[in-house]
Amino acid sequence: MVVIDLGGGQWPAVEGGQLRGPDGTVFSRRMTRMSRRVGDDLVAGGVPVVAHWFGGGLLQWCDGADAVAMWRRSRARVIVQPLPPRVGQEPWWTLGRWESPVGQPLLVLTGHC
């Protein structure tokens, strides 16, 4: 179980659709706007979760129990349709599937204000 801040020099790469995991594995964006149900299945299968919210300065890698906790905190605000009106200070999230060159999945929660 681990939570790692991936900030720093990774912001431009993430905006361009790539991310380097803590072990050096490079992941590329494959799919965006996935449903909560798909996220449930992948998180239950042990897939790491990255929370990416430029407006909040958040670029954080979570795996194990920390990935499950991040998913539980964010799941209710994951949307597939266009963004609803802003309510409160919490972001809305879109869920994307990113993959390594060998097909290892990664879930990326992208925050929207």
Side-chain angles (χ1 to χ4, degrees):
M1 296 176 280
V2 68
V3 175
I4 298 173
D5 180 9
L6 297 176
Q10 289 224 56
W11 285 102
V14 170
E15 293 299 318
Q18 289 199 327
L19 181 142
R20 184 173 305 276
D23 67 354
T25 301
V26 175
F27 293 86
S28 298
R29 184 174 31 234
R30 295 289 184 242
M31 187 182 310
T32 60
R33 304 245 180 193
M34 296 181 349
S35 72
R36 292 179 191 139
R37 185 175 298 139
V38 172
D40 290 338
D41 292 343
L42 290 170
V43 170
V47 172
V49 174
V50 169
H52 166 234
W53 179 26
F54 187 78
L58 180 67
L59 184 58
Q60 197 171 60
W61 173 284
C62 304
D63 65 18
D66 293 315
V68 172
M70 174 64 78
W71 177 244
R72 285 184 181 151
R73 282 193 307 272
S74 307
R75 185 187 186 284
R77 296 184 68 83
V78 169
I79 58 169
V80 177
Q81 301 303 318
L83 296 174
R86 179 110 163 105
V87 177
Q89 298 301 312
E90 291 295 316
W92 294 102
W93 300 96
T94 52
L95 180 63
R97 180 185 174 111
W98 295 37
E99 291 182 1
S100 72
V102 297
Q104 177 186 358
L106 174 69
L107 291 180
V108 176
L109 287 162
T110 302
H112 304 271
C113 297

